[in-house]
mmCIF file of all heavy atoms in Angstrom:
data_model
loop_
_atom_site.group_PDB
_atom_site.id
_atom_site.type_symbol
_atom_site.label_atom_id
_atom_site.label_comp_id
_atom_site.label_asym_id
_atom_site.label_seq_id
_atom_site.Cartn_x
_atom_site.Cartn_y
_atom_site.Cartn_z
ATOM 1 N N LEU A 288 0.796 -1.242 -0.004
ATOM 2 C CA LEU A 288 0.020 -0.014 0.004
ATOM 3 C C LEU A 288 0.847 1.271 0.005
ATOM 4 O O LEU A 288 0.415 2.304 -0.487
ATOM 5 C CB LEU A 288 -0.935 0.037 1.219
ATOM 6 C CG LEU A 288 -1.873 -1.193 1.414
ATOM 7 C CD1 LEU A 288 -2.820 -0.965 2.537
ATOM 8 C CD2 LEU A 288 -2.679 -1.458 0.047
ATOM 9 N N VAL A 289 2.058 1.182 0.566
ATOM 10 C CA VAL A 289 2.967 2.324 0.613
ATOM 11 C C VAL A 289 4.340 1.772 0.201
ATOM 12 O O VAL A 289 4.844 0.801 0.822
ATOM 13 C CB VAL A 289 3.047 2.951 1.971
ATOM 14 C CG1 VAL A 289 4.040 4.139 1.968
ATOM 15 C CG2 VAL A 289 1.687 3.585 2.370
ATOM 16 N N GLU A 290 4.927 2.465 -0.804
ATOM 17 C CA GLU A 290 6.233 1.998 -1.241
ATOM 18 C C GLU A 290 7.211 3.223 -1.147
ATOM 19 O O GLU A 290 6.944 4.258 -1.647
ATOM 20 C CB GLU A 290 6.236 1.607 -2.730
ATOM 21 C CG GLU A 290 7.550 1.074 -3.272
ATOM 22 C CD GLU A 290 7.478 0.555 -4.700
ATOM 23 O OE1 GLU A 290 6.427 0.825 -5.291
ATOM 24 O OE2 GLU A 290 8.449 -0.004 -5.183
ATOM 25 N N PRO A 291 8.311 3.008 -0.464
ATOM 26 C CA PRO A 291 9.317 4.077 -0.309
ATOM 27 C C PRO A 291 9.898 4.561 -1.642
ATOM 28 O O PRO A 291 9.985 3.755 -2.561
ATOM 29 C CB PRO A 291 10.455 3.449 0.587
ATOM 30 C CG PRO A 291 9.839 2.285 1.251
ATOM 31 C CD PRO A 291 8.783 1.723 0.196
ATOM 32 N N ILE A 292 10.249 5.850 -1.750
ATOM 33 C CA ILE A 292 10.839 6.287 -2.967
ATOM 34 C C ILE A 292 12.189 5.745 -3.164
ATOM 35 O O ILE A 292 12.505 5.354 -4.267
ATOM 36 C CB ILE A 292 10.912 7.854 -2.825
ATOM 37 C CG1 ILE A 292 9.493 8.524 -2.750
ATOM 38 C CG2 ILE A 292 11.685 8.463 -4.069
ATOM 39 C CD1 ILE A 292 9.542 10.031 -2.551
ATOM 40 N N LYS A 293 12.922 5.635 -2.149
ATOM 41 C CA LYS A 293 14.304 5.033 -2.214
ATOM 42 C C LYS A 293 14.258 3.635 -1.632
ATOM 43 O O LYS A 293 13.841 3.482 -0.550
ATOM 44 C CB LYS A 293 15.327 5.887 -1.483
ATOM 45 C CG LYS A 293 15.518 7.281 -2.116
ATOM 46 C CD LYS A 293 16.623 8.008 -1.338
ATOM 47 C CE LYS A 293 16.886 9.413 -2.028
ATOM 48 N NZ LYS A 293 17.938 10.094 -1.308
ATOM 49 N N CYS A 294 14.695 2.710 -2.406
ATOM 50 C CA CYS A 294 14.702 1.252 -1.907
ATOM 51 C C CYS A 294 15.927 1.076 -1.002
ATOM 52 O O CYS A 294 16.907 1.678 -1.164
ATOM 53 C CB CYS A 294 14.849 0.317 -3.101
ATOM 54 S SG CYS A 294 13.404 0.322 -4.271
ATOM 55 N N ARG A 295 15.620 0.351 0.088
ATOM 56 C CA ARG A 295 16.691 0.072 0.999
ATOM 57 C C ARG A 295 16.524 -1.343 1.522
ATOM 58 O O ARG A 295 15.436 -1.903 1.453
ATOM 59 C CB ARG A 295 16.659 1.066 2.169
ATOM 60 C CG ARG A 295 15.503 0.942 3.081
ATOM 61 C CD ARG A 295 15.415 2.056 4.084
ATOM 62 N NE ARG A 295 14.419 1.892 5.147
ATOM 63 C CZ ARG A 295 13.938 2.872 5.923
ATOM 64 N NH1 ARG A 295 14.434 4.119 5.723
ATOM 65 N NH2 ARG A 295 13.042 2.652 6.793
ATOM 66 N N PRO A 296 17.578 -1.964 2.001
ATOM 67 C CA PRO A 296 17.427 -3.311 2.483
ATOM 68 C C PRO A 296 16.467 -3.418 3.646
ATOM 69 O O PRO A 296 16.353 -2.528 4.479
ATOM 70 C CB PRO A 296 18.888 -3.644 2.952
ATOM 71 C CG PRO A 296 19.756 -2.724 2.256
ATOM 72 C CD PRO A 296 18.977 -1.450 2.069
ATOM 73 N N ILE A 297 15.714 -4.516 3.652
ATOM 74 C CA ILE A 297 14.758 -4.750 4.765
ATOM 75 C C ILE A 297 15.473 -5.406 5.861
ATOM 76 O O ILE A 297 15.948 -6.604 5.851
ATOM 77 C CB ILE A 297 13.587 -5.632 4.328
ATOM 78 C CG1 ILE A 297 12.868 -4.960 3.067
ATOM 79 C CG2 ILE A 297 12.542 -5.810 5.417
ATOM 80 C CD1 ILE A 297 12.265 -3.639 3.306
ATOM 81 N N LYS A 298 15.618 -4.678 6.996
ATOM 82 C CA LYS A 298 16.316 -5.187 8.192
ATOM 83 C C LYS A 298 15.348 -5.421 9.338
ATOM 84 O O LYS A 298 15.535 -6.287 10.193
ATOM 85 C CB LYS A 298 17.382 -4.174 8.644
ATOM 86 C CG LYS A 298 18.517 -3.970 7.612
ATOM 87 C CD LYS A 298 19.557 -2.994 8.121
ATOM 88 C CE LYS A 298 20.646 -2.740 7.094
ATOM 89 N NZ LYS A 298 21.613 -1.727 7.557
ATOM 90 N N THR A 299 14.274 -4.604 9.459
ATOM 91 C CA THR A 299 13.297 -4.703 10.496
ATOM 92 C C THR A 299 11.895 -4.676 9.910
ATOM 93 O O THR A 299 11.546 -3.795 9.182
ATOM 94 C CB THR A 299 13.510 -3.618 11.553
ATOM 95 O OG1 THR A 299 14.796 -3.560 12.007
ATOM 96 C CG2 THR A 299 12.530 -3.836 12.712
ATOM 97 N N ILE A 300 11.139 -5.697 10.371
ATOM 98 C CA ILE A 300 9.706 -5.755 9.970
ATOM 99 C C ILE A 300 8.784 -5.687 11.289
ATOM 100 O O ILE A 300 9.136 -6.418 12.202
ATOM 101 C CB ILE A 300 9.352 -7.071 9.247
ATOM 102 C CG1 ILE A 300 10.195 -7.139 7.921
ATOM 103 C CG2 ILE A 300 7.920 -7.198 8.921
ATOM 104 C CD1 ILE A 300 10.064 -8.479 7.163
ATOM 105 N N LEU A 301 7.802 -4.869 11.196
ATOM 106 C CA LEU A 301 6.911 -4.720 12.462
ATOM 107 C C LEU A 301 5.544 -5.300 12.052
ATOM 108 O O LEU A 301 4.937 -4.846 11.069
ATOM 109 C CB LEU A 301 6.706 -3.275 12.830
ATOM 110 C CG LEU A 301 5.893 -3.038 14.087
ATOM 111 C CD1 LEU A 301 6.541 -3.661 15.303
ATOM 112 C CD2 LEU A 301 5.717 -1.536 14.267
ATOM 113 N N LEU A 302 5.081 -6.286 12.755
ATOM 114 C CA LEU A 302 3.753 -6.808 12.600
ATOM 115 C C LEU A 302 2.688 -6.202 13.508
ATOM 116 O O LEU A 302 2.960 -6.144 14.626
ATOM 117 C CB LEU A 302 3.792 -8.326 12.860
ATOM 118 C CG LEU A 302 4.719 -9.225 11.978
ATOM 119 C CD1 LEU A 302 4.576 -10.698 12.456
ATOM 120 C CD2 LEU A 302 4.331 -9.103 10.518
ATOM 121 N N THR A 303 1.594 -5.843 12.936
ATOM 122 C CA THR A 303 0.484 -5.194 13.753
ATOM 123 C C THR A 303 -0.793 -5.598 13.168
ATOM 124 O O THR A 303 -0.924 -5.906 11.975
ATOM 125 C CB THR A 303 0.668 -3.661 13.720
ATOM 126 O OG1 THR A 303 -0.301 -3.067 14.567
ATOM 127 C CG2 THR A 303 0.531 -3.091 12.328
ATOM 128 N N ASN A 304 -1.828 -5.540 13.941
ATOM 129 C CA ASN A 304 -3.211 -5.854 13.511
ATOM 130 C C ASN A 304 -3.780 -4.637 12.873
ATOM 131 O O ASN A 304 -4.458 -4.665 11.828
ATOM 132 C CB ASN A 304 -4.049 -6.299 14.608
ATOM 133 C CG ASN A 304 -5.263 -7.087 14.146
ATOM 134 O OD1 ASN A 304 -5.159 -8.218 13.900
ATOM 135 N ND2 ASN A 304 -6.392 -6.421 14.019
ATOM 136 N N ASP A 305 -3.545 -3.407 13.478
ATOM 137 C CA ASP A 305 -3.956 -2.111 12.958
ATOM 138 C C ASP A 305 -2.828 -1.143 12.927
ATOM 139 O O ASP A 305 -2.060 -1.160 13.927
ATOM 140 C CB ASP A 305 -5.126 -1.588 13.821
ATOM 141 C CG ASP A 305 -6.397 -2.487 13.720
ATOM 142 O OD1 ASP A 305 -7.040 -2.431 12.675
ATOM 143 O OD2 ASP A 305 -6.681 -3.180 14.660
ATOM 144 N N LEU A 306 -2.733 -0.300 11.950
ATOM 145 C CA LEU A 306 -1.772 0.748 11.888
ATOM 146 C C LEU A 306 -2.396 2.064 12.418
ATOM 147 O O LEU A 306 -3.253 2.626 11.830
ATOM 148 C CB LEU A 306 -1.249 0.957 10.453
ATOM 149 C CG LEU A 306 -0.158 1.967 10.316
ATOM 150 C CD1 LEU A 306 1.004 1.689 11.184
ATOM 151 C CD2 LEU A 306 0.275 2.057 8.842
ATOM 152 N N THR A 307 -1.920 2.390 13.606
ATOM 153 C CA THR A 307 -2.439 3.557 14.266
ATOM 154 C C THR A 307 -1.288 4.564 14.433
ATOM 155 O O THR A 307 -0.111 4.243 14.162
ATOM 156 C CB THR A 307 -3.077 3.238 15.656
ATOM 157 O OG1 THR A 307 -1.993 2.659 16.490
ATOM 158 C CG2 THR A 307 -4.221 2.319 15.469
ATOM 159 N N ASP A 308 -1.585 5.745 15.042
ATOM 160 C CA ASP A 308 -0.540 6.724 15.280
ATOM 161 C C ASP A 308 0.543 6.215 16.255
ATOM 162 O O ASP A 308 1.711 6.365 16.052
ATOM 163 C CB ASP A 308 -1.104 8.026 15.838
ATOM 164 C CG ASP A 308 -1.687 8.972 14.734
ATOM 165 O OD1 ASP A 308 -1.034 9.171 13.750
ATOM 166 O OD2 ASP A 308 -2.823 9.363 14.861
ATOM 167 N N SER A 309 0.044 5.495 17.255
ATOM 168 C CA SER A 309 0.986 4.985 18.270
ATOM 169 C C SER A 309 1.887 3.891 17.658
ATOM 170 O O SER A 309 3.058 3.782 17.928
ATOM 171 C CB SER A 309 0.177 4.451 19.473
ATOM 172 O OG SER A 309 -0.694 3.435 19.135
ATOM 173 N N VAL A 310 1.302 3.092 16.784
ATOM 174 C CA VAL A 310 2.078 1.953 16.096
ATOM 175 C C VAL A 310 3.092 2.617 15.172
ATOM 176 O O VAL A 310 4.267 2.205 15.058
ATOM 177 C CB VAL A 310 1.115 0.995 15.349
ATOM 178 C CG1 VAL A 310 1.974 -0.035 14.538
ATOM 179 C CG2 VAL A 310 0.307 0.272 16.358
ATOM 180 N N MET A 311 2.725 3.652 14.423
ATOM 181 C CA MET A 311 3.611 4.361 13.537
ATOM 182 C C MET A 311 4.754 4.976 14.325
ATOM 183 O O MET A 311 5.954 4.864 13.967
ATOM 184 C CB MET A 311 2.892 5.420 12.774
ATOM 185 C CG MET A 311 3.840 6.185 11.780
ATOM 186 S SD MET A 311 4.620 5.132 10.587
ATOM 187 C CE MET A 311 3.329 4.717 9.438
ATOM 188 N N SER A 312 4.465 5.548 15.491
ATOM 189 C CA SER A 312 5.550 6.105 16.310
ATOM 190 C C SER A 312 6.490 5.002 16.769
ATOM 191 O O SER A 312 7.763 5.246 16.823
ATOM 192 C CB SER A 312 4.954 6.794 17.552
ATOM 193 O OG SER A 312 4.133 7.859 17.163
ATOM 194 N N GLU A 313 5.969 3.824 17.083
ATOM 195 C CA GLU A 313 6.782 2.710 17.458
ATOM 196 C C GLU A 313 7.675 2.284 16.301
ATOM 197 O O GLU A 313 8.843 1.989 16.507
ATOM 198 C CB GLU A 313 5.862 1.521 17.856
ATOM 199 C CG GLU A 313 6.586 0.240 18.290
ATOM 200 C CD GLU A 313 5.545 -0.842 18.641
ATOM 201 O OE1 GLU A 313 4.344 -0.736 18.162
ATOM 202 O OE2 GLU A 313 5.948 -1.858 19.237
ATOM 203 N N ALA A 314 7.109 2.232 15.111
ATOM 204 C CA ALA A 314 7.899 1.843 13.886
ATOM 205 C C ALA A 314 8.967 2.864 13.609
ATOM 206 O O ALA A 314 10.113 2.567 13.222
ATOM 207 C CB ALA A 314 6.944 1.725 12.657
ATOM 208 N N GLU A 315 8.687 4.188 13.744
ATOM 209 C CA GLU A 315 9.710 5.216 13.567
ATOM 210 C C GLU A 315 10.866 5.052 14.527
ATOM 211 O O GLU A 315 12.031 5.172 14.158
ATOM 212 C CB GLU A 315 9.068 6.623 13.629
ATOM 213 C CG GLU A 315 8.087 6.886 12.440
ATOM 214 C CD GLU A 315 7.255 8.107 12.654
ATOM 215 O OE1 GLU A 315 7.043 8.473 13.880
ATOM 216 O OE2 GLU A 315 6.760 8.691 11.737
ATOM 217 N N ALA A 316 10.477 4.795 15.795
ATOM 218 C CA ALA A 316 11.481 4.785 16.919
ATOM 219 C C ALA A 316 12.440 3.591 16.659
ATOM 220 O O ALA A 316 13.647 3.644 17.037
ATOM 221 C CB ALA A 316 10.793 4.666 18.212
ATOM 222 N N MET A 317 11.977 2.511 16.050
ATOM 223 C CA MET A 317 12.790 1.326 15.891
ATOM 224 C C MET A 317 13.445 1.256 14.474
ATOM 225 O O MET A 317 14.031 0.223 14.090
ATOM 226 C CB MET A 317 11.928 0.041 16.114
ATOM 227 C CG MET A 317 10.830 -0.207 15.194
ATOM 228 S SD MET A 317 9.734 -1.474 15.676
ATOM 229 C CE MET A 317 10.794 -2.913 15.799
ATOM 230 N N ASN A 318 13.333 2.360 13.750
ATOM 231 C CA ASN A 318 13.831 2.432 12.360
ATOM 232 C C ASN A 318 13.333 1.324 11.480
ATOM 233 O O ASN A 318 14.161 0.669 10.754
ATOM 234 C CB ASN A 318 15.378 2.476 12.376
ATOM 235 C CG ASN A 318 15.901 3.692 13.007
ATOM 236 O OD1 ASN A 318 15.452 4.776 12.731
ATOM 237 N ND2 ASN A 318 16.969 3.519 13.877
ATOM 238 N N CYS A 319 12.099 1.055 11.635
ATOM 239 C CA CYS A 319 11.472 -0.044 10.890
ATOM 240 C C CYS A 319 11.523 0.205 9.327
ATOM 241 O O CYS A 319 11.442 1.314 8.866
ATOM 242 C CB CYS A 319 10.021 -0.135 11.318
ATOM 243 S SG CYS A 319 9.030 -1.367 10.455
ATOM 244 N N ASP A 320 11.688 -0.876 8.588
ATOM 245 C CA ASP A 320 11.745 -0.761 7.112
ATOM 246 C C ASP A 320 10.429 -1.165 6.419
ATOM 247 O O ASP A 320 10.065 -0.750 5.336
ATOM 248 C CB ASP A 320 12.843 -1.615 6.540
ATOM 249 C CG ASP A 320 14.192 -1.239 7.176
ATOM 250 O OD1 ASP A 320 14.657 -0.143 6.999
ATOM 251 O OD2 ASP A 320 14.783 -2.110 7.823
#
């Protein structure tokens, strides 16, 4: 559904049931790919 403009290696994947603001903050904090 969302593809980054610049491709980068996938090092961290976050699994969630729903994508919310708090989950996105969690993903940003862990440098999720």
Side-chain angles (χ1 to χ4, degrees):
L288 304 185
V289 177
E290 182 177 11
I292 295 175
K293 294 183 179 180
C294 295
R295 67 189 190 195
I297 302 299
K298 297 179 181 178
T299 304
I300 298 174
L301 183 65
L302 298 181
T303 183
N304 202 81
D305 294 288
L306 182 54
T307 60
D308 278 312
S309 58
V310 173
M311 179 57 74
S312 295
E313 181 183 18
E315 292 168 336
M317 64 193 301
N318 294 317
C319 177
D320 303 299

